[in-house]
Amino acid sequence: MIGFDAYFYECKFFINSKKGFTLGEILTKYLSKDFKSLNDTLRKCRQYVVDLHYPEDKAEVRVSNNFFQGAITFYCTLDDMICSLPPYSSMDLRKNRLYDLLNEYFWLWQPEEDENGNELDYVERFDTDTPLCDHDRADLIDGILEFNEKLKAFAMEYAVFIEDLLRVKKVYEPFLEKLHSQSRYLDNSETAKVVEEFMTGTKSRLETFEKLKPSGNMQLTYTVLDQKKSPILCETYHFDTIGAFLYIELFKGLEQHYLPKKCGYCGRYFLLEAGIYSDYCTRPVKNTDKTCRDLGHRKKYADKVKNNPVWLTYSRAYKQHYARYLKKKMSQAEFQKWADYALELRQQALDGTLDLEEYQKIIRE
């Protein structure tokens, strides 16, 4: 159910050759989601990996009907969550897979029909009083073992999915914070350093989903995809987990500078698309005619002026010289010449090549 193909072309990709997305778009949406109680859900998924099997003794037989009913409800809830997320929200996914799997092995339980000859579904059939330990028919034992293997694979698929969601929060969020720490796009060498340092820092973590690595498997081929204007040659990956896809989307985004980022004003994630770097998104701010980017840059500048004497000195000098320009005590050319000079002085002061007192003195001249 969770496997799919993604066709990558430049800064776009297509899921199962149909639905189109911008590079980084799906990872941004996962980062924006507030998933509840993922650790508890993972513990339950892992427990089902152990517990989902044909009843092995009479004690398990007595509780098996309620146990499987509870499992069906649990996995239906997970199916609803999966189907609400991209790329699965654009795909026609099969739900109630555990119910289907139980019905596929209906012959392991008796009776198969009611007293009127009507076929029963697994819920009504699951009244056997014969656990695995009491079966002596080879075909039934083989069927039970095969059934158990399918149940384990089924449960593992969901456990890995929840691990992938946890990786988004535990790994991708802090990793992206490091990538954006300089408030600019990094070149290849700088990116490599961040990746190396991050992977070294998480090397000792025990859980795989706490490390910067993909889950599952992926297979790369090249495919010609027909489009309205002309065919395009795509890198085509088959992913059997969302974790494998998000890993590739992240690193392809790194190459193209298409990266999710948390807005410094509203705190929500947005997608940087290789244009001018910004710490702020363009969402409108409630009850204003401004965007986060408008107000964020103002706040950022105000914080610099408030907390840094170099910026405070520059701001005061700029206001003084601009007032002279407005009063026509300076021409536009003179003001522009001073402004360029003031920027050079500010940078020297910030770099430490110009003493603060000397800077404060000459910038006012």
Side-chain angles (χ1 to χ4, degrees):
M1 176 191 74
I2 297 180
F4 58 90
D5 295 326
Y7 299 72
F8 290 90
Y9 175 72
E10 295 181 346
C11 299
K12 298 282 186 180
F13 61 90
F14 305 86
I15 297 298
N16 291 340
S17 77
K18 297 178 181 178
K19 175 69 173 178
F21 295 89
T22 300
L23 193 60
E25 181 180 348
I26 288 182
L27 178 56
T28 302
K29 290 182 178 179
Y30 275 72
L31 287 161
S32 301
K33 285 284 187 178
D34 183 18
F35 298 106
K36 303 293 186 182
S37 306
L38 284 181
N39 288 310
D40 291 339
T41 303
L42 179 60
R43 281 193 288 271
K44 195 164 185 178
C45 283
R46 287 177 169 177
Q47 193 60 51
Y48 272 127
V49 171
V50 176
D51 293 345
L52 272 178
H53 56 255
Y54 187 89
E56 296 178 349
D57 54 39
K58 291 188 180 296
E60 289 187 352
V61 165
R62 285 193 293 272
V63 298
S64 59
N65 192 43
N66 287 337
F67 169 75
F68 277 103
Q69 286 283 12
I72 288 172
T73 300
F74 174 72
Y75 286 113
C76 280
T77 300
L78 291 187
D79 281 341
D80 288 338
M81 179 177 68
I82 291 169
C83 290
S84 71
L85 296 168
Y88 307 112
S89 54
S90 63
M91 298 158 56
D92 185 19
L93 295 186
R94 178 74 180 177
K95 295 185 180 182
N96 299 323
R97 295 166 63 218
L98 179 56
Y99 184 92
D100 291 342
L101 183 56
L102 290 166
N103 270 315
E104 180 184 347
Y105 284 84
F106 70 89
W107 49 275
L108 295 178
W109 289 276
Q110 297 293 331
E112 297 178 15
E113 298 178 346
D114 64 17
E115 58 186 12
N116 298 318
N118 299 315
E119 184 177 341
L120 302 175
D121 68 15
Y122 93 92
V123 175
E124 297 167 300
R125 291 180 191 137
F126 208 96
D127 60 358
T128 180
D129 59 359
T130 309
L132 174 60
C133 61
D134 290 345
H135 277 298
D136 55 8
R137 282 175 51 190
D139 61 331
L140 277 175
I141 293 174
D142 288 344
I144 289 170
L145 295 177
E146 180 182 271
F147 174 62
N148 284 345
E149 288 179 4
K150 288 190 176 183
L151 284 175
K152 185 173 183 178
F154 166 87
M156 279 296 301
E157 192 175 12
Y158 285 87
V160 170
F161 180 82
I162 299 302
E163 289 176 356
D164 290 338
L165 297 187
L166 281 165
R167 184 181 293 104
V168 169
K169 299 299 180 182
K170 293 179 178 290
V171 179
Y172 289 174
E173 278 197 359
F175 177 61
L176 285 164
E177 286 179 11
K178 289 186 178 296
L179 287 172
H180 292 302
S181 62
Q182 298 186 43
S183 293
R184 62 179 176 82
Y185 296 116
L186 305 183
D187 62 26
N188 185 277
S189 178
E190 293 169 324
T191 300
K193 185 178 180 180
V194 172
V195 172
E196 184 178 35
E197 290 178 350
F198 189 86
M199 293 182 74
T200 300
T202 58
K203 189 175 181 180
S204 61
R205 295 180 181 178
L206 297 178
E207 293 282 10
T208 303
F209 63 80
E210 294 181 328
K211 300 178 181 181
L212 187 59
K213 56 172 55 179
S215 62
N217 298 303
M218 61 190 85
Q219 182 179 359
L220 171 63
T221 57
Y222 287 87
T223 308
V224 175
L225 194 63
D226 289 329
Q227 296 289 284
K228 291 182 178 179
K229 293 184 178 179
S230 61
I232 56 175
L233 180 62
C234 302
E235 273 189 0
T236 304
Y237 289 84
H238 177 76
F239 300 103
D240 60 12
T241 65
I242 190 63
F245 166 79
L246 293 175
Y247 181 83
I248 292 296
E249 187 186 23
L250 170 65
F251 279 94
K252 282 188 173 292
L254 273 176
E255 293 174 1
Q256 302 287 341
H257 290 162
Y258 275 64
L259 287 172
K261 189 178 188 325
K262 184 177 286 188
C263 175
Y265 193 83
C266 70
R268 291 183 289 172
Y269 276 93
F270 68 103
L271 181 60
L272 285 170
E273 298 187 23
I276 297 174
Y277 189 97
S278 177
D279 288 316
Y280 309 100
C281 69
T282 56
R283 296 183 181 96
V285 177
K286 189 175 181 180
N287 298 325
T288 74
D289 60 350
K290 306 295 183 182
T291 67
C292 287
R293 189 162 297 177
D294 296 329
L295 299 182
H297 286 306
R298 292 182 186 179
K299 182 178 182 298
K300 187 175 183 179
Y301 181 81
D303 289 342
K304 285 181 178 179
V305 170
K306 180 180 179 181
N307 300 311
N308 190 312
V310 173
W311 279 89
L312 178 59
T313 299
Y314 170 80
S315 178
R316 288 174 175 172
Y318 186 92
K319 290 178 181 177
Q320 290 170 356
H321 284 75
Y322 188 67
R324 294 177 192 171
Y325 164 69
L326 292 178
K327 294 176 181 178
K328 302 189 183 301
K329 294 181 179 180
M330 293 180 72
S331 67
Q332 184 175 359
E334 289 173 330
F335 175 73
Q336 187 60 54
K337 183 179 180 180
W338 174 88
D340 293 339
Y341 174 61
L343 288 176
E344 293 178 9
L345 292 176
R346 186 185 71 187
Q347 192 58 50
Q348 291 174 24
L350 290 170
D351 294 339
T353 59
L354 179 63
D355 180 74
L356 178 60
E357 291 185 5
E358 181 69 12
Y359 164 70
Q360 291 173 332
K361 177 183 177 182
I362 62 178
I363 198 174
R364 294 192 182 98
E365 295 177 354

